[in-house]
Amino acid sequence: RCLRGLCGAALFLSQLSVLSGRAGSSMTTKPSQPQSTLAKSLTSTSTNAPYLKALESTEIPPYVTNCPSNGLCSRLPPDCMTCNTNYSCVYGKTATFDCKVKPHVHCVDENNHEQENFTINMTCQFCWQLATSDYVCTNSTNCMTVSCPRQRYNATCTVRDHIHCLGNRVFPKMLYCNWTGGYKWSTALALSITLGGFGADRFYLGQWREGLGKLFSFGGLGIWTLIDVLLIGVGYVGPADGSLYI
């Protein structure tokens, strides 16, 4: 019996040692897996970082296509440079502004030497204060040009490429309706004088209801015809689409 007890105790101790060894091995091997994946991720990001920086450095901005290469810096378009505001300039007077070329833009001075910092002379005024010939605005075909008072519409204006000014180069502005649908004032007046009694002038201007009214009433017995001659002559009656005469 003593020998059997000793053998059972020895067997129990051996099994306990095996289980503890397995537990220790599992506890020591499990943390090694996250460390290896972390190391891989660190190495992958560290190797990709120079590649990403290279892509960013080689990417060419879209404004470069509008900037002439190796030309005079003072003649570059405004989109190719950044200038400091001259707070001492007087409105409407010519002033000097310190400017610097944008990245990837190459220009030279009068001696054909490459430079980055230079000065330009321009009139001290904001872009929205320029003359109407210095910017281009969107046109609206939804407003009435022949109305009293004249209608306005919200336009988006863009300064021309060779014009320098202060502030935003794209700005909103309220403009008078100024578009044409191809109708001629001389044609409308001639039709009103000759065939106005049959509503030809109103049909020409796209006013079908008034044209039918004049046609079946024989020009309002001549009274409507005379009134239309006066109204078309002074430009009060215009095309039905609200456009201007040519």
Side-chain angles (χ1 to χ4, degrees):
R1 291 180 181 177
C2 293
L3 291 173
R4 289 180 181 178
L6 291 173
C7 292
L11 181 60
F12 175 76
L13 291 174
S14 64
Q15 291 178 355
L16 183 62
S17 63
V18 171
L19 291 174
S20 63
R22 290 181 180 178
S25 63
S26 64
M27 293 181 65
T28 55
T29 55
K30 284 183 180 179
S32 62
Q33 185 175 359
Q35 290 179 359
S36 62
T37 56
L38 180 61
K40 288 181 180 179
S41 63
L42 289 175
T43 54
S44 63
T45 54
S46 62
T47 54
N48 291 334
Y51 178 71
L52 294 176
K53 290 181 179 179
L55 287 178
E56 293 178 356
S57 61
T58 56
E59 184 179 359
I60 300 177
Y63 60 81
V64 177
T65 57
N66 298 326
C67 303
S69 180
N70 296 326
L72 289 176
C73 296
S74 57
R75 295 184 179 180
L76 285 175
D79 293 336
C80 305
M81 65 180 75
T82 55
C83 299
N84 298 327
T85 303
N86 187 353
Y87 295 99
S88 61
C89 68
V90 180
Y91 173 73
K93 303 294 183 180
T94 303
T96 303
F97 294 82
D98 296 327
C99 302
K100 182 179 180 181
V101 294
K102 291 184 178 180
H104 303 281
V105 178
H106 302 282
C107 62
V108 296
D109 57 6
E110 296 179 354
N111 297 324
N112 204 21
H113 295 155
E114 187 173 358
Q115 63 176 357
E116 293 184 357
N117 300 317
F118 57 95
T119 59
I120 62 170
N121 295 325
M122 66 177 179
T123 306
C124 181
Q125 60 182 351
F126 289 98
C127 295
W128 59 270
Q129 296 173 325
L130 293 171
T132 55
S133 59
D134 293 335
Y135 54 83
V136 180
C137 299
T138 57
N139 200 0
S140 176
T141 58
N142 297 324
C143 59
M144 298 292 292
T145 56
V146 182
S147 62
C148 186
R150 292 182 61 187
Q151 291 186 2
R152 294 173 179 260
Y153 70 98
N154 293 320
T156 301
C157 302
T158 304
V159 182
R160 299 185 184 274
D161 293 337
H162 63 282
I163 302 297
H164 293 272
C165 57
L166 302 176
N168 296 327
R169 300 185 61 82
V170 179
F171 53 91
K173 202 164 188 177
M174 291 289 293
L175 299 178
Y176 285 111
C177 296
N178 186 20
W179 65 283
T180 179
Y183 297 94
K184 292 184 177 181
W185 173 81
S186 58
T187 302
L189 183 60
L191 290 174
S192 182
I193 295 173
T194 57
L195 300 174
F198 301 97
D201 50 354
R202 294 283 184 166
F203 285 125
Y204 171 74
L205 296 175
Q207 301 175 5
W208 296 96
R209 295 178 180 177
E210 293 81 355
L212 291 174
K214 292 182 68 175
L215 177 62
F216 291 109
S217 65
F218 300 102
L221 300 178
I223 299 176
W224 195 348
T225 302
L226 294 176
I227 293 175
D228 274 356
V229 170
L230 295 175
L231 294 179
I232 293 176
V234 299
Y236 184 81
V237 174
D241 57 2
S243 62
L244 290 175
Y245 289 113
I246 296 177

